Amino acid sequence: MKVTVTKKNPGKEIPVVIGTEFIKLESALKLANAVPSGGQAKILIQEGEAKVNGEVCTMRGKKLYPGDRFEFMDQIYLICVHESV
Protein backbone atom coordinates (compact mmCIF):
# COMPACT_ATOMS: atom_id res chain seq x y z
CA MET A 1 0.00 0.00 0.00
CA LYS A 2 1.40 3.38 -1.02
CA VAL A 3 0.88 6.32 1.33
CA THR A 4 1.29 9.93 0.23
CA VAL A 5 1.65 12.66 2.81
CA THR A 6 0.76 16.21 1.83
CA LYS A 7 1.67 19.04 4.15
CA LYS A 8 -1.01 21.70 4.31
CA ASN A 9 -1.10 25.13 5.88
CA PRO A 10 -4.55 25.37 7.45
CA GLY A 11 -5.61 28.96 7.94
CA LYS A 12 -2.87 30.33 5.69
CA GLU A 13 -3.58 31.41 2.14
CA ILE A 14 -1.34 30.14 -0.61
CA PRO A 15 -0.74 32.78 -3.28
CA VAL A 16 -1.46 31.81 -6.89
CA VAL A 17 0.31 34.37 -9.08
CA ILE A 18 -1.16 35.10 -12.50
CA GLY A 19 0.15 37.30 -15.28
CA THR A 20 -3.22 37.89 -16.92
CA GLU A 21 -6.39 39.80 -16.07
CA PHE A 22 -8.15 36.65 -14.80
CA ILE A 23 -7.81 32.87 -14.61
CA LYS A 24 -10.50 30.21 -14.83
CA LEU A 25 -11.12 28.11 -11.73
CA GLU A 26 -10.11 24.88 -13.48
CA SER A 27 -6.80 26.42 -14.56
CA ALA A 28 -6.21 27.93 -11.11
CA LEU A 29 -6.47 24.50 -9.50
CA LYS A 30 -3.88 23.16 -11.93
CA LEU A 31 -1.59 26.19 -11.51
CA ALA A 32 -1.74 25.81 -7.72
CA ASN A 33 -0.82 22.11 -8.07
CA ALA A 34 -4.00 21.22 -6.19
CA VAL A 35 -4.92 18.66 -8.87
CA PRO A 36 -2.72 16.68 -11.25
CA SER A 37 -4.87 17.19 -14.37
CA GLY A 38 -7.56 19.31 -15.92
CA GLY A 39 -9.82 16.28 -16.20
CA GLN A 40 -9.68 15.69 -12.48
CA ALA A 41 -10.25 19.40 -11.83
CA LYS A 42 -13.36 19.33 -14.03
CA ILE A 43 -14.87 16.40 -12.16
CA LEU A 44 -14.11 17.74 -8.68
CA ILE A 45 -15.47 21.21 -9.50
CA GLN A 46 -18.67 19.76 -10.95
CA GLU A 47 -19.08 17.66 -7.80
CA GLY A 48 -19.01 20.85 -5.69
CA GLU A 49 -15.60 20.28 -4.11
CA ALA A 50 -14.38 23.86 -4.72
CA LYS A 51 -15.46 27.15 -3.17
CA VAL A 52 -14.92 30.61 -4.62
CA ASN A 53 -15.02 33.52 -2.19
CA GLY A 54 -16.68 31.29 0.41
CA GLU A 55 -19.41 29.82 -1.82
CA VAL A 56 -19.52 26.42 -3.50
CA CYS A 57 -18.86 26.82 -7.22
CA THR A 58 -19.63 24.15 -9.82
CA MET A 59 -18.59 26.25 -12.83
CA ARG A 60 -15.13 25.18 -13.97
CA GLY A 61 -14.94 28.26 -16.23
CA LYS A 62 -15.60 30.67 -13.35
CA LYS A 63 -13.31 33.66 -13.82
CA LEU A 64 -11.11 34.50 -10.85
CA TYR A 65 -9.53 37.94 -10.58
CA PRO A 66 -6.71 39.19 -8.33
CA GLY A 67 -8.05 39.35 -4.78
CA ASP A 68 -10.40 36.39 -5.25
CA ARG A 69 -9.97 33.38 -3.01
CA PHE A 70 -10.77 29.77 -3.74
CA GLU A 71 -10.83 26.84 -1.38
CA PHE A 72 -10.10 23.24 -2.23
CA MET A 73 -9.41 20.30 0.10
CA ASP A 74 -9.40 22.55 3.21
CA GLN A 75 -6.74 24.82 1.70
CA ILE A 76 -7.33 28.46 0.76
CA TYR A 77 -5.65 30.00 -2.26
CA LEU A 78 -5.43 33.71 -3.10
CA ILE A 79 -5.25 34.96 -6.67
CA CYS A 80 -2.45 37.52 -6.98
CA VAL A 81 -1.12 39.50 -9.91
CA HIS A 82 2.54 39.40 -10.89
CA GLU A 83 3.93 42.90 -10.68
CA SER A 84 7.05 43.64 -12.69
CA VAL A 85 9.57 45.88 -10.98
Side-chain angles (χ1 to χ4, degrees):
M1 181 172 150
K2 184 177 179 181
V3 177
T4 304
V5 177
T6 304
K7 191 172 185 179
K8 300 207 178 208
N9 298 323
K12 293 189 178 184
E13 297 172 339
I14 296 176
V16 178
V17 181
I18 61 172
T20 56
E21 180 182 354
F22 65 86
I23 188 169
K24 293 181 180 179
L25 177 58
E26 179 179 33
S27 298
L29 284 170
K30 290 190 304 186
L31 181 62
N33 291 319
V35 293
S37 70
Q40 187 175 10
K42 173 185 173 181
I43 292 167
L44 293 169
I45 292 167
Q46 290 176 337
E47 289 178 350
E49 297 294 325
K51 290 183 181 180
V52 174
N53 296 325
E55 296 184 15
V56 173
C57 181
T58 57
M59 300 181 301
R60 64 187 175 129
K62 173 74 175 169
K63 292 179 181 177
L64 304 177
Y65 294 89
D68 284 339
R69 289 169 173 78
F70 68 95
E71 184 177 342
F72 180 73
M73 301 292 286
D74 297 323
Q75 182 62 60
I76 300 172
Y77 301 87
L78 173 65
I79 304 297
C80 303
V81 66
H82 172 67
E83 296 182 22
S84 56
V85 177

